């Protein structure tokens, strides 16, 4: 379906939902120093053609303004004439949509995701086992283990985006960038938020467990 066929009402609903989530996350200090970016798909998913609303680059994400979001295509290019620039990390969102067909992608920088991504960065993944909140990813098996991929934090975003297909795990809706932050996604904004909150909780638990055990590596 072409972008112009998607109803204005649907586009407005998506922008409103994104703005509400942005305000909520800002209240948790999840966008320090203008970091972070959010996106939500509009219309149906077709790997050949899809569109999403994404945060404009470099904005103070704790503010609500008419210039917070723009619509882009599957290549991350603005669809409408605008002076706004899509997030510098839009290509990573594009790749996650293309590979998963998800409905929303949220990226935040937090102290816990930075610390954990660095601690396990050399291993290429964060192993998480036996913590109840793994169930937030719809994994109900007892003592389940997941591995959250950690990618290198290259300055060149296309170089990061091209690593995404090689590490994506269908059961784990998130990827860490080392010393940078997390991308979490879901079939819609509700699920992406649940996943992001679960990751952040799990990283905090792991950090505190490591401290309790006096870990060195
Ligand atoms: C100031 S944080 C550096 C860029 C970044 O990692 C980020 O998440 C925000 O970039 P954007 O272009 O989306 O504002
Ligand atoms: Zn970032």
């Amino acid at each position: 379906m072409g972008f112009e066929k998607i109803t204005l009402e649907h586009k407005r609903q998506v922008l409103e939902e994104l703005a509400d989530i942005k305000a909520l996350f800002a209240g948790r200090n999840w966008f320090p120093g203008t970091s972070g970016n959010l996106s939500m798909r509009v219309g149906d998913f077709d790997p050949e053609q899809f569109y999403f609303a994404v945060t404009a680059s470099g904005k103070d994400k704790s503010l609500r303004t008419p210039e917070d979001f723009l619509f882009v295509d599957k290549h991350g290019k603005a669809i409408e004439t605008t002076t706004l620039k899509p997030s510098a990390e839009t290509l990573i969102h594009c790749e996650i949509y293309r590979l998963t067909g998800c409905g929303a992608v949220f990226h935040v920088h937090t102290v816990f995701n930075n610390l954990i991504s660095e601690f396990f960065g050399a291993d290429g993944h964060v192993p998480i086992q036996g913590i109840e909140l793994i169930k937030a990813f719809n994994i109900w098996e007892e003592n389940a283990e997941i591995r959250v991929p950690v990618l290198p934090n290259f300055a060149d975003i296309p170089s990061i985006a091209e690593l995404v297909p090689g590490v994506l795990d269908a059961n784990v809706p998130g990827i860490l960038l080392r010393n940078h932050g997390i991308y979490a996604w879901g079939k819609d904004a509700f699920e992406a938020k649940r996943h992001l909150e679960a990751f952040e909780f799990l990283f905090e638990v792991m950090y505190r467990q490591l401290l309790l055990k006096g870990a060195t590596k």
Side-chain angles (χ1 to χ4, degrees):
M1 181 196 270
F3 183 73
E4 59 299 330
K5 293 258 170 67
I6 303 168
T7 65
L8 265 179
E9 179 56 19
H10 174 58
K11 290 172 191 162
R12 271 200 211 105
Q13 277 170 359
V14 163
L15 292 179
E16 205 177 301
E17 194 168 1
L18 265 180
D20 288 345
I21 288 166
K22 188 164 73 69
L24 184 78
F25 289 177
R28 298 175 183 175
N29 196 26
W30 278 3
F31 299 126
T34 75
S35 65
N37 32 76
L38 305 176
S39 72
M40 226 176 127
R41 183 161 49 78
V42 288
D44 297 333
F45 176 73
D46 169 354
E48 296 306 316
Q49 190 186 49
F50 60 86
Y51 307 97
F52 59 94
V54 65
T55 42
S57 185
K59 301 278 179 182
D60 179 344
K61 279 129 195 154
S62 68
L63 304 178
R64 200 171 182 125
T65 82
E67 307 213 306
D68 291 338
F69 305 100
L70 66 159
F71 291 104
V72 297
D73 64 15
K74 67 167 188 169
H75 302 294
K77 300 279 173 236
I79 297 168
E80 299 167 310
T81 308
T82 174
T83 55
L84 299 177
K85 284 199 171 31
S87 164
E89 296 170 358
T90 300
L91 274 186
I92 299 175
H93 292 245
C94 292
E95 203 55 0
I96 294 169
Y97 284 111
R98 183 180 74 80
L99 294 163
T100 68
C102 70
V105 181
F106 299 156
H107 167 63
V108 297
H109 299 204
T110 68
V111 172
F112 291 113
N113 68 38
N114 270 249
L115 290 169
I116 288 293
S117 73
E118 174 56 19
F119 191 78
F120 292 99
D123 302 335
H125 66 268
V126 179
I128 308 178
Q129 186 165 25
I131 305 176
E132 178 70 6
L133 216 55
I134 287 176
K135 290 178 182 165
F137 308 126
N138 232 355
I139 298 171
W140 298 88
E141 173 198 325
E142 194 158 312
N143 207 29
E145 181 183 1
I146 61 166
R147 293 177 165 202
V148 186
V150 185
L151 288 178
N153 187 32
F154 299 138
D156 181 54
I157 300 298
S159 301
I160 301 178
E162 74 183 33
L163 296 177
V164 172
V167 298
L168 205 116
D169 176 341
N171 297 313
V172 180
I175 293 178
L176 281 160
L177 300 189
R178 189 168 178 174
N179 274 323
H180 178 151
I182 189 164
Y183 286 84
W185 56 88
K187 66 175 188 295
D188 52 25
F190 177 84
E191 190 180 79
K193 174 174 171 285
R194 188 182 80 221
H195 291 161
L196 179 60
E197 289 172 346
F199 280 123
E200 288 302 318
F201 178 91
L202 292 164
F203 295 148
E204 182 170 352
V205 169
M206 290 199 71
Y207 169 81
R208 294 185 189 279
Q209 274 177 353
L210 289 165
L211 276 190
L212 274 177
K213 292 177 189 159
T216 51
K217 211 156 182 274

